[in-house]
């Protein structure tokens, strides 16, 4: 019995030492799409890069202190939801009715548990509600009034819908409204905008989350890929974690996030090869475009996109932090 106890203690010590050497990492995005150079001034570019760095580092600080990947994902995404520069939370775009409808999802790679919300209008941070659905209900997705009733029961913070108003998004709405009145199709710039994060903690657990205001001038309660597990968000410790951004209808049809993880798990591909295949092969064969951030169970990172740019940043233990907007950076 004493030998067994000593052996068990030695095993635990060895496991702890091994776990302590596992890398920690976080990858975030602030949306992909019409991000051609010259669209933003130098000052606006600098402001976006700073916001990405701050959100990334907020999540990484959680990991450094021994926090979970779920906590790191939430820390990063709430920062982005509170920043009016990004299409999520405070910076959400307007629907055709002149309102804001917010979607979000989160997934735990260790348990495959997940939570999602769609069409909420008064919850300050939808990612917190998605996590509450995952951890405090038997459901995976809740929508609209029912999701907000649940949010009240969970004691989450509510805001007046006017909180989500920003002059920039309102002007974008008015431009879309004028085009719609003339029967013109909306340009690509109205179809993008999401935030997301994927993290790997010291215990080797992955988590992924995504949050969005959706598509500018969306109608009829439209829901994109962001709150759909397997399309906009997926995480599995056996493969990788993914958060997507782009034209949601195509990401739903192609189950983008799950496909990448499946190629890693069943095909033995690297996260880079799997992500590149899905974005530059499968997605490119459709009219869809966008990008993904991917973090492997081994800490490998990929962030391909087939648009002009994608707001993105990452930080991995022992490596130089990264932040960028455009391609070839």
């Amino acid at each position: 019995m004493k030998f067994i106890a000593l052996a068990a203690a030695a095993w635990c010590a060895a496991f702890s030492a091994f776990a302590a050497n596992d890398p920690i990492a976080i990858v975030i995005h602030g949306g992909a799409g019409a991000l051609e150079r010259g669209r933003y001034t130098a000052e606006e570019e600098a402001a976006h890069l700073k916001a990405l760095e701050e959100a990334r580092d907020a999540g990484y600080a959680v990991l450094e202190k021994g926090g979970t990947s779920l906590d790191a994902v939430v820390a990063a995404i709430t920062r982005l939801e509170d920043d009016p520069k990004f299409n999520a939370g405070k910076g959400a775009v307007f629907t055709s009715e002149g309102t804001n409808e917010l979607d979000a999802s989160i997934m735990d790679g260790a348990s495959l548990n997940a939570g999602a919300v769609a069409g909420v209008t008064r919850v300050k941070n939808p990612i917190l509600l998605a996590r509450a659905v995952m951890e405090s209900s038997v459901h995976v997705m809740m929508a609209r009034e029912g999701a907000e009733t649940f949010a009240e029961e969970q004691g989450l913070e509510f805001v007046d819908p006017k909180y989500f108003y920003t002059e920039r998004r309102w002007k974008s709405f008015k431009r879309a409204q004028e085009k719609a009145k003339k029967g013109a199709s909306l340009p690509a710039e109205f179809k993008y905008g999401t935030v997301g994060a994927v993290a790997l903690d010291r215990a080797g657990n992955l988590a992924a989350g995504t949050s969005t205001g959706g598509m500018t001038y969306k109608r009829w309660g439209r829901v994109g890929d962001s709150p759909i597990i397997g399309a906009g968000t997926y995480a599995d410790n056996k493969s990788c974690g993914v958060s997507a951004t782009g034209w949601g209808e195509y990401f739903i049809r192609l189950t983008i996030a799950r496909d990448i993880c499946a190629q890693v798990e069943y095909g033995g591909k690297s996260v880079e090869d799997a992500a590149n295949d899905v974005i530059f092969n499968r997605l490119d064969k459709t009219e869809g475009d966008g990008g993904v951030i991917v973090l492997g169970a081994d800490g490998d990172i990929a962030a391909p996109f087939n648009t002009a740019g994608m707001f993105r940043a990452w930080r991995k233990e022992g490596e130089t932090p990264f932040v960028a907007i455009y391609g070839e950076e």
Side-chain angles (χ1 to χ4, degrees), residues 250-321:
Y250 292 92
F251 282 66
I252 294 170
R253 293 166 184 156
L254 297 174
T255 60
I256 291 289
R258 175 56 181 147
D259 189 357
I260 293 170
C261 292
Q263 289 196 35
V264 173
E265 181 178 359
Y266 304 126
K269 291 185 177 182
S270 66
V271 295
E272 182 177 13
D273 287 344
N276 286 345
D277 176 64
V278 169
I279 297 300
F280 300 124
N281 183 19
R282 296 194 66 208
L283 189 62
D284 264 358
K285 289 180 178 178
T286 72
E287 297 178 6
D289 47 15
V292 291
I293 53 170
V294 188
L295 179 58
D298 56 0
D300 282 352
I301 295 168
F305 51 94
N306 64 358
T307 53
M310 180 170 74
F311 294 113
R312 61 204 187 277
W314 58 78
R315 187 171 177 181
K316 180 179 178 181
E317 192 171 37
E319 297 186 6
T320 302

Side-chain angles (χ1 to χ4, degrees), residues 234-259:
Y234 200 80
D236 185 345
N237 284 3
K238 294 179 181 178
S239 53
C240 60
V242 179
S243 176
T245 172
W247 195 336
E249 279 70 14
Y250 292 92
F251 282 66
I252 294 170
R253 293 166 184 156
L254 297 174
T255 60
I256 291 289
R258 175 56 181 147
D259 189 357

Side-chain angles (χ1 to χ4, degrees), residues 118-304:
V120 296
T121 61
R122 298 182 297 130
V123 177
K124 182 174 184 286
N125 292 108
I127 193 65
L128 296 179
L129 179 53
R131 184 172 185 177
V133 171
M134 178 180 70
E135 296 180 335
S136 302
S137 82
V138 298
H139 305 303
V140 170
M141 180 181 286
M142 295 184 188
R144 302 181 73 85
E145 294 84 359
E148 295 191 334
T149 297
F150 176 73
E152 289 178 338
E153 294 176 353
Q154 296 299 305
L156 295 183
E157 183 177 358
F158 277 67
V159 292
D160 186 289
K162 293 179 181 178
Y163 164 83
F164 300 108
Y165 175 92
T166 62
E167 187 66 21
R168 175 189 170 205
R169 298 304 188 191
W170 185 250
K171 288 180 178 179
S172 181
F173 161 74
K174 297 302 287 185
R175 291 196 302 271
Q177 189 178 55
E178 287 303 311
K179 288 181 178 294
K181 287 179 179 178
K182 296 176 182 178
S185 59
L186 296 181
E189 66 181 281
F190 291 105
K191 299 182 173 68
Y192 310 107
T194 312
V195 305
V198 187
L200 176 66
D201 63 29
R202 190 70 71 189
N205 293 321
L206 288 162
T210 310
S211 181
T212 188
M215 180 187 293
T216 301
Y217 213 73
K218 62 185 178 182
R219 303 177 67 188
W220 308 298
R222 178 262 187 187
V223 175
D225 65 302
S226 296
I228 298 179
I229 301 302
T233 301
Y234 200 80
D236 185 345
N237 284 3
K238 294 179 181 178
S239 53
C240 60
V242 179
S243 176
T245 172
W247 195 336
E249 279 70 14
Y250 292 92
F251 282 66
I252 294 170
R253 293 166 184 156
L254 297 174
T255 60
I256 291 289
R258 175 56 181 147
D259 189 357
I260 293 170
C261 292
Q263 289 196 35
V264 173
E265 181 178 359
Y266 304 126
K269 291 185 177 182
S270 66
V271 295
E272 182 177 13
D273 287 344
N276 286 345
D277 176 64
V278 169
I279 297 300
F280 300 124
N281 183 19
R282 296 194 66 208
L283 189 62
D284 264 358
K285 289 180 178 178
T286 72
E287 297 178 6
D289 47 15
V292 291
I293 53 170
V294 188
L295 179 58
D298 56 0
D300 282 352
I301 295 168

